[in-house]
Amino acid sequence: MDFAAAKSPTRKVFAERMTARGDTDSEFVVFESDLAKSTYSYIFKDKHPERYFNMGIAEIGTVASAAGMAAEGRNVVVCGYGVFITMRALEAIRSFICYPHLNVKFLSSHGGLTAAIDGVTHQATEDIAFMTTIPQMKVLVPADSASAAAAFDIALDTPGPVFTRLMRDPLFELYGPGESFKLGGSKVVRKGKDVTIATYGDMVFQSLLAADELAKQGIDAEVIDFYSLKPWDQATLAESLKKTGALVVAENHQRRNGFGYEAAVWTLMNNPVPTELIGLEDTFAESGSYPITIDKFGLSGPKIAAKTAALVAKKR
Amino acid sequence: MENPSNLSFDARVDRLNKIAQELRMHVVDMVYTAQSGHIGGSLSAADFVAALYFDLMNLDPANPGWADRDRFVLSKGHVCPIWYAALAVRGFFPVEELKTLRKNNSRLQGHPIATYLPGLDASAGSLGIGFAQAVGIAMEGKLMRKKDYKVYTVLGDGEINEGIIWESSLAAAKFKLDNLVAIIDINNLQLDGTLAEVMPTEPIDEKFRALGFDVLKMNGHDMADVLTTLMKAKRACSGKPTCVLAYTVKGKGVSFMENQLDWHGKAPNEAQYTQAIAELKGAA
Ligand SMILES: Cc1ncc(C[n+]2csc(CCOP(=O)(O)OP(=O)(O)O)c2C)c(N)n1
Ligand SMILES: [Mg+2]
């Protein structure tokens, strides 16, 4: 496996694409709550100050006021940290944006343990559970620059609320510029026949590391990037599982009520296969460096490889 | 710790100034070692945190859970380096442990978690929620236990954008929490700019007076003023909560950090670290 290091984190690429779209589309506005340097929304502000509103450190008010503007027919992009927008403003998102199906799009940065260094108060490790559970909400998690730029376009062009989880730090480039992405799509990033690793976001890279490790042990893993978590690509998973007959879901999120629960229940109801779910095991994480923290909590490539190997042994 | 009540007022001021500089050096050292953390708002709060922990608050480091102690809640939890430094130097845990800030397996989390470390009376890190907890702690002290210990809480001037501050202030006035002292660190910077740029909040004094607080003001870097004002807050028994407006400079004590937005949450490199420590030593 050989990927170029990314120059920018997905949060920045998303904000850059938002700014570029703002050049040709003057109809949408951007709301921020005093985290412009963390969400990179300042890039949009510098270019389009008349369509940018910093609402102060006030997440509920920011989200609810966005709902008000959206109710008037305007598209609003709300920028923030995953923990603060999804949890503080949850009721406003559910009842006043998703229920009336308003055009509010969320740039949600610092997803999962990518904010490891700041500690648990800043780690969005339940956001996917909250956001995928609300009816009408769409959820995207790009893993690299090409998919992050595409995620903004999908969010803006899809009617209704769309939540995009983004990462704090740059990782690796997985896709070329010609690649296309769509709502409900996925990408098979590595073909294999022994086991399917379904994953998203920063865990795509860790899963690819795991696949390299597994190859040394004679296990041929298929890795699928589910950059669209809701809706998600059931056909591609079904096809992969027909071939491999074993499912691992790896995510930087609580295991409970994450994408793993969704995918596992779906396979259980359709075509049960031996399954392993990798995520935070009903625990809070801690402050620390990103690589040490994901390894300590079982989310690193080697940890994914070990659990996957154990599952494959069971299958055989 | 020497008993400051045996000292003259001037000697108390001198002593606290020295301690505040020592705490500032720990802050710079911790954030440099971690290469992560919030220096600017730690340095602006250093003087009044020193006055509280080393002169005014009733505490027993050997018995951190002492029921009648004064309480302290750092509502602007991102500046926990100054809180951790004060607790360590005051003897709540070993000073060497400060070096573990933000590292894996450390008790010194990136934002403070109450049960992790002796002396932390509440968790914080999500702005606004610390203050509401302080109101609850003050309600327990005054209304349920009927004790007269004080509850001190420190807020950022950006933090008071949060609606929860205003909700909880109404409750503090309703329940006549004169055991509550809320210190607002007015360094005039939040994350994206000045208060006027991000969210115009002045006049802060009139707002808190209207909410039902007694409002005091002090120069947050003039230790004599800090000590006098906080002694007055400590004696409060008017039936109203007290709000102390501390006028400060973000990054205070390190020339190149003062009033610089950048130094809200940035770690110094080696050269910056060396200069910062030299400046703080020079002033100590
Ligand atoms: C609920 C919440 N929203 C946003 C943040 C991110 N944040 C951390 S510090 C900060 C600015 C705080 O400014 P201020 O209260 O003035 O603190 P100080 O200047 O003393 O550092 C922001 C927006 C947060 N920690 N919590
Ligand atoms: Mg401030």
Side-chain angles (χ1 to χ4, degrees):
Chain A
M1 183 179 67
D2 196 17
F3 295 109
K7 286 193 204 66
S8 301
T10 56
R11 56 179 165 142
K12 184 173 184 203
V13 175
F14 192 92
E16 284 168 346
R17 181 65 194 154
M18 174 167 86
T19 309
R21 281 291 299 263
D23 293 344
T24 52
D25 180 343
S26 57
E27 288 304 309
F28 74 91
V29 300
V30 174
F31 276 36
E32 174 57 76
S33 38
D34 198 27
L35 278 166
K37 281 196 276 180
S38 296
T39 63
Y40 287 97
S41 73
Y42 76 86
I43 301 173
F44 184 92
K45 180 199 174 193
D46 289 348
K47 203 77 192 293
H48 308 292
E50 72 293 350
R51 280 180 270 146
Y52 180 88
F53 303 98
N54 195 328
M55 304 292 284
I57 311 171
E59 294 76 11
I60 306 175
T62 303
V63 169
S65 298
M69 249 199 208
E72 289 290 309
R74 190 163 300 285
N75 265 7
V76 186
V77 182
V78 175
C79 307
Y81 263 46
V83 271
F84 305 132
I85 15 182
T86 63
M87 296 198 287
R88 267 241 182 137
L90 186 57
E91 189 200 5
I93 294 174
R94 172 193 177 268
S95 303
F96 303 95
I97 290 173
C98 291
Y99 183 27
H101 199 255
L102 297 178
N103 279 320
V104 180
K105 322 294 176 179
F106 296 91
L107 180 173
S108 181
S109 78
H110 294 58
L113 299 179
T114 61
I117 192 79
D118 285 315
V120 171
T121 54
H122 287 57
Q123 296 163 353
T125 49
E126 297 81 22
D127 55 337
I128 299 302
F130 295 137
M131 293 298 115
T132 57
T133 303
I134 304 174
Q136 320 241 44
M137 181 64 106
K138 312 277 191 295
V139 179
L140 305 172
V141 189
D144 80 338
S145 297
S147 51
F152 182 81
D153 291 336
I154 295 171
L156 195 66
D157 300 337
T158 301
V162 181
F163 177 87
T164 306
R165 182 206 246 209
L166 298 157
M167 292 177 290
R168 178 180 185 269
D169 295 319
L171 293 173
F172 293 88
E173 301 300 4
L174 305 174
Y175 305 113
E179 202 87 36
S180 70
F181 301 86
K182 62 175 198 290
L183 187 69
S186 69
K187 296 276 177 199
V188 178
V189 288
R190 187 188 193 281
K191 284 206 168 303
K193 59 179 184 349
D194 295 329
V195 58
T196 302
I197 305 180
T199 186
Y200 60 90
D202 56 330
M203 290 295 110
V204 176
F205 182 70
Q206 296 302 326
S207 299
L208 288 167
L209 287 179
D212 280 354
E213 179 63 34
L214 290 162
K216 287 182 211 152
Q217 303 169 29
I219 297 170
D220 188 15
E222 178 145 301
V223 178
I224 309 177
D225 171 8
F226 284 90
Y227 62 83
S228 177
L229 282 186
K230 191 188 171 191
W232 63 280
D233 187 354
Q234 297 164 346
T236 297
L237 186 66
E239 203 177 308
S240 177
L241 292 178
K242 220 186 290 166
K243 176 174 57 174
T244 65
L247 172 65
V248 172
V249 181
E251 57 191 321
N252 191 338
H253 185 269
Q254 294 294 343
R255 191 169 64 164
R256 187 180 298 267
N257 297 325
F259 179 57
Y261 270 39
E262 167 73 17
V265 168
W266 184 84
T267 54
L268 189 63
M269 290 168 69
N270 290 280
N271 180 17
V273 295
T275 298
E276 176 67 80
L277 304 184
I278 298 172
L280 289 174
E281 298 188 9
D282 199 19
T283 184
F284 293 107
E286 65 184 30
S287 299
S289 79
Y290 169 72
I292 296 176
T293 308
I294 60 169
D295 189 63
K296 177 168 175 177
F297 290 91
L299 310 179
S300 63
K303 296 282 163 71
I304 295 170
K307 285 201 167 147
T308 304
L311 180 76
V312 171
K314 233 187 333 188
K315 181 184 92 165
R316 283 169 178 165
Chain B
M1 187 178 96
E2 60 188 307
N3 186 350
S5 56
N6 296 334
L7 300 173
S8 71
F9 183 80
D10 288 351
R12 284 164 74 187
V13 168
D14 276 355
R15 174 177 168 273
L16 290 174
N17 272 327
K18 289 202 186 76
I19 293 172
Q21 287 306 103
E22 184 188 344
L23 299 184
R24 284 189 167 95
M25 282 188 262
H26 280 301
V27 165
V28 170
D29 195 50
M30 290 160 80
V31 175
Y32 172 66
T33 306
Q35 278 301 297
S36 175
H38 296 84
I39 292 190
S42 288
L43 298 186
S44 61
D47 294 304
F48 57 78
V49 168
L52 288 172
Y53 269 92
F54 293 86
D55 194 309
L56 294 165
M57 283 170 67
N58 291 323
L59 296 167
D60 180 4
N63 183 10
W66 174 37
D68 290 340
R69 72 191 185 280
D70 289 331
R71 309 298 200 266
F72 182 91
V73 178
L74 185 69
S75 191
K76 55 164 195 161
H78 57 287
V79 309
C80 54
I82 189 66
W83 198 9
Y84 295 152
L87 288 168
V89 174
R90 188 72 170 77
F92 283 85
F93 61 88
V95 169
E96 304 78 69
E97 203 173 333
L98 292 175
K99 293 263 190 208
T100 69
L101 175 74
R102 290 182 167 235
K103 297 225 159 81
N104 287 99
N105 307 313
S106 171
R107 299 195 289 177
L108 280 63
Q109 290 291 299
H111 291 77
I113 306 304
T115 48
Y116 274 44
L117 202 59
L120 300 183
D121 290 323
S123 305
S126 180
L127 294 167
I129 297 181
F131 177 67
Q133 293 176 84
V135 168
I137 292 170
M139 289 172 69
E140 170 69 20
K142 187 175 169 79
L143 308 178
M144 302 307 295
R145 301 189 194 179
K146 309 206 187 309
K147 295 282 192 175
D148 54 10
Y149 55 78
K150 288 277 169 185
V151 181
Y152 297 94
T153 179
V154 172
L155 291 78
D157 51 0
E159 180 182 13
I160 64 173
N161 293 174
E162 287 283 2
I164 192 172
I165 301 296
W166 309 90
E167 299 168 21
S168 304
S169 291
L170 291 170
K174 171 179 175 179
F175 295 113
K176 303 186 167 43
L177 300 180
D178 54 10
N179 56 339
L180 180 72
V181 180
I183 303 172
I184 306 180
D185 185 348
I186 304 188
N187 56 29
N188 198 32
L189 287 176
Q190 43 192 109
L191 217 148
D192 289 339
T194 64
L195 268 59
E197 287 163 345
V198 181
M199 189 51 64
T201 312
E202 293 287 1
I204 297 173
D205 54 350
E206 287 178 28
K207 291 191 171 80
F208 277 87
R209 221 171 273 127
L211 283 165
F213 283 70
D214 273 332
V215 176
L216 305 175
K217 299 184 184 187
M218 66 189 188
N219 174 343
H221 303 307
D222 175 345
M223 195 58 86
D225 193 11
V226 168
L227 199 51
T228 312
T229 308
L230 293 181
M231 284 194 292
K232 200 165 159 196
K234 184 176 169 164
R235 286 192 303 268
C237 55
S238 62
K240 290 177 167 190
T242 302
C243 175
V244 178
L245 306 187
Y247 293 93
T248 62
V249 173
K250 205 158 174 167
K252 176 71 182 178
V254 179
S255 60
F256 59 92
M257 293 180 183
E258 289 190 359
N259 277 318
Q260 298 302 310
L261 202 53
D262 242 22
W263 286 99
H264 169 80
K266 195 170 86 169
N269 62 28
E270 196 185 335
Q272 290 163 334
Y273 167 76
T274 310
Q275 189 187 335
I277 294 292
E279 287 187 18
L280 291 169
K281 268 202 184 118

